[in-house]
């Protein structure tokens, strides 16, 4: 998963067309960011849990060693060297991580890198303090493992390199425990050192392979989601005019009836005057071109509204939270746009548009809204090239 998977669906090609940045893409993008943020918090809490767990184990081991008499240090020196020192160092790392997660000045990627690398630092402290336990090197696999979810090759690679480097530095250059054996003192020590590095490198390779397949799986899932979205859009889009169709209008009406907020709606129905004459005179191809041009006029002028093709030469517009004045201005611009475009079509009568307008209220159904708007449209059609507003007194 992870933000880096966004690269896949931003460049997907569906049906030969590059997917645009639309609300569906943004929704997926935001969901990925939400998941990454949630995992980042868990990532950080895991480091906190490791510090607390190690502190508890240190205390238990200290009590056991002193009760059994298996330690030469005084209890004060043991507490300082094996309990307080690593606790203080790792507490500093935890505080830095907390700051990184909660500061708004850092990007999400920066926070991820900081928390991941601080986890390596915590593991380095514990491995150095207890380097006599040679098998403890496996602790460095945990920082690598936790980066897989982000799906970021670079992050996992940097974390792996730092983990391996931390182990090498601890083994070759730091002697915290006086009982630690030098790896060059025996063939076994050197062999164990080489094997442990090989295991860490192999684990890194496994992490990269897992990331690759996870990204491919996520890319396939995202593509399917986009295809589903594209199909849904096509089912609600009029093929001729490329605006919403009647199916989309039914869905919009359903949303209106389910809307329990204070949103206001104004519905407009449009009928092209004399379109039948144009169709009969110039042919259906020219008629279709005229309808397509009118669809473009609607898309150009309905910036804050949603246009629909109802069928034939009838169109609709749904306005949400718009004043009647703004609705009337939009209708007038559409009329002017049609008149400017109509000069392309030579017929004996002018091609104009009639408009019927009605308000929606929570007391009515959308069927009643449609009826009121249609009634207003009928009034305007008697005059042609007119805009008529439904009056509630006409009921």
């Amino acid at each position: 998963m992870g933000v880096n998977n966004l690269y896949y669906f931003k460049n997907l090609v569906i049906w030969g067309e590059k997917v645009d940045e639309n609300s569906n893409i943004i929704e997926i993008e935001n969901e990925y960011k939400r998941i990454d943020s949630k995992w980042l918090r868990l990532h950080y809490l895991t480091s906190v849990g490791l510090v607390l767990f190690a502190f508890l184990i240190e205390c238990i081991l200290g009590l056991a060693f002193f009760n059994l008499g298996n330690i030469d240090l005084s209890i004060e020196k043991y507490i300082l060297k094996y309990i307080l020192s690593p606790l203080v160092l790792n507490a500093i790392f935890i505080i830095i991580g907390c700051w990184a997660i909660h500061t708004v000045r850092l990007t999400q990627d920066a926070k991820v890198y900081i928390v991941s690398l601080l986890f390596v630092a915590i593991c380095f402290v514990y491995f150095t303090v207890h380097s006599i336990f040679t098998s403890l090197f496996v602790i460095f696999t945990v920082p690598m493992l936790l980066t897989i979810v982000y799906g970021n090759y670079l992050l996992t690679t940097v974390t792996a390199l730092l983990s391996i480097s931390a182990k090498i530095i601890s083994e070759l250059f730091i002697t915290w425990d006086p009982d630690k054996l030098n790896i060059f003192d025996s063939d076994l020590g050197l062999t164990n050192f080489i094997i442990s590095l090989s295991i860490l490198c192999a684990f890194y390779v496994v992490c990269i392979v897992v990331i690759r397949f996870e990204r491919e799986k996520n890319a396939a899932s995202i593509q399917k989601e986009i295809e589903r979205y594209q199909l849904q859009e096509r089912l609600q889009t009029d093929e001729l005019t490329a605006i919403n169709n009647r199916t989309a209008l039914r869905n919009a009406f359903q949303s209106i009836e389910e809307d329990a907020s204070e949103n206001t709606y104004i519905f407009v129905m449009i009928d092209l005057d004399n379109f039948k004459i144009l169709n009969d005179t110039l042919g259906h191809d020219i008629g279709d071109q005229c309808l397509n041009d009118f669809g473009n006029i609607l898309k150009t002028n309905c910036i804050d509204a949603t246009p629909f093709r109802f069928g034939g030469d009838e169109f609709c517009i749904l306005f949400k939270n718009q004043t009647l004045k703004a609705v009337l201005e939009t209708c007038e611009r559409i009329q002017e746009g049609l008149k400017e475009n109509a000069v392309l079509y030579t017929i004996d009568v002018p091609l104009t548009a009639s408009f019927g307008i009605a308000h929606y209220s929570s007391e009515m159904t959308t069927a009643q809204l449609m009826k009121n708007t249609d009634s207003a449209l009928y009034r305007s059609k008697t005059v042609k090239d007119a805009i008529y507003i439904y009056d509630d007194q006409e009921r």
Side-chain angles (χ1 to χ4, degrees), residues 3-47:
V3 174
N4 286 270
N5 286 291
L6 301 178
Y7 168 81
Y8 283 91
F9 70 82
K10 284 183 176 179
N11 296 281
L12 284 174
V13 175
I14 309 297
W15 291 297
E17 300 177 358
K18 192 170 183 179
V19 178
D20 295 328
E21 290 287 336
N22 51 44
S23 59
N24 186 257
I25 299 297
I26 294 173
E27 183 179 346
I28 297 174
E29 195 174 30
N30 291 336
E31 181 64 15
Y32 267 50
K33 290 179 180 178
R34 186 191 67 80
I35 293 173
D36 274 355
S37 297
K38 189 175 180 180
W39 179 255
L40 179 61
R41 290 192 293 271
L42 181 60
H43 193 169
Y44 170 73
L45 291 176
T46 302
S47 65

Side-chain angles (χ1 to χ4, degrees), residues 130-260:
H130 300 289
S131 55
I132 59 171
F133 301 107
T134 55
S135 61
L136 191 60
F137 76 90
V138 296
I139 196 175
F140 287 111
T141 63
V142 180
M144 288 186 267
L145 180 65
L146 293 176
T147 61
I148 291 178
V149 174
Y150 301 109
N152 187 331
Y153 290 126
L154 180 60
L155 172 65
T156 301
T157 300
V158 170
T159 303
L161 288 175
L162 186 61
S163 297
I164 295 171
S165 299
K167 183 190 184 306
I168 294 173
I169 291 171
S170 179
E171 290 271 35
L172 299 182
F173 303 107
I174 302 176
T175 304
W176 187 271
D177 194 322
D179 294 330
K180 174 185 175 182
L181 298 177
N182 192 303
I183 62 173
F184 298 108
D185 289 344
S186 65
D187 292 339
L188 180 60
L190 182 58
T191 300
N192 288 336
F193 176 70
I194 295 174
I195 290 175
S196 64
L197 291 182
S198 300
I199 292 174
L200 290 178
C201 290
F203 190 84
Y204 160 69
V205 172
V206 170
C207 290
I208 293 298
V209 171
V210 171
I211 290 174
R212 175 187 172 184
F213 281 95
E214 278 295 312
R215 291 178 69 161
E216 289 182 0
K217 183 182 71 174
N218 291 333
S221 298
I222 292 168
Q223 181 165 342
K224 290 297 181 183
E225 173 63 20
I226 292 177
E227 288 176 354
R228 185 197 63 78
Y229 175 80
Q230 293 273 330
L231 177 60
Q232 184 179 18
E233 286 293 295
R234 280 164 171 74
L235 291 175
Q236 297 189 90
T237 301
D238 179 63
E239 292 184 2
L240 179 61
T241 61
I243 62 175
N244 296 292
N245 59 18
R246 190 180 294 194
T247 300
L249 180 62
R250 283 198 297 267
N251 293 336
F253 275 0
Q254 182 178 351
S255 298
I256 291 176
E257 292 184 337
E258 293 173 352
D259 188 355

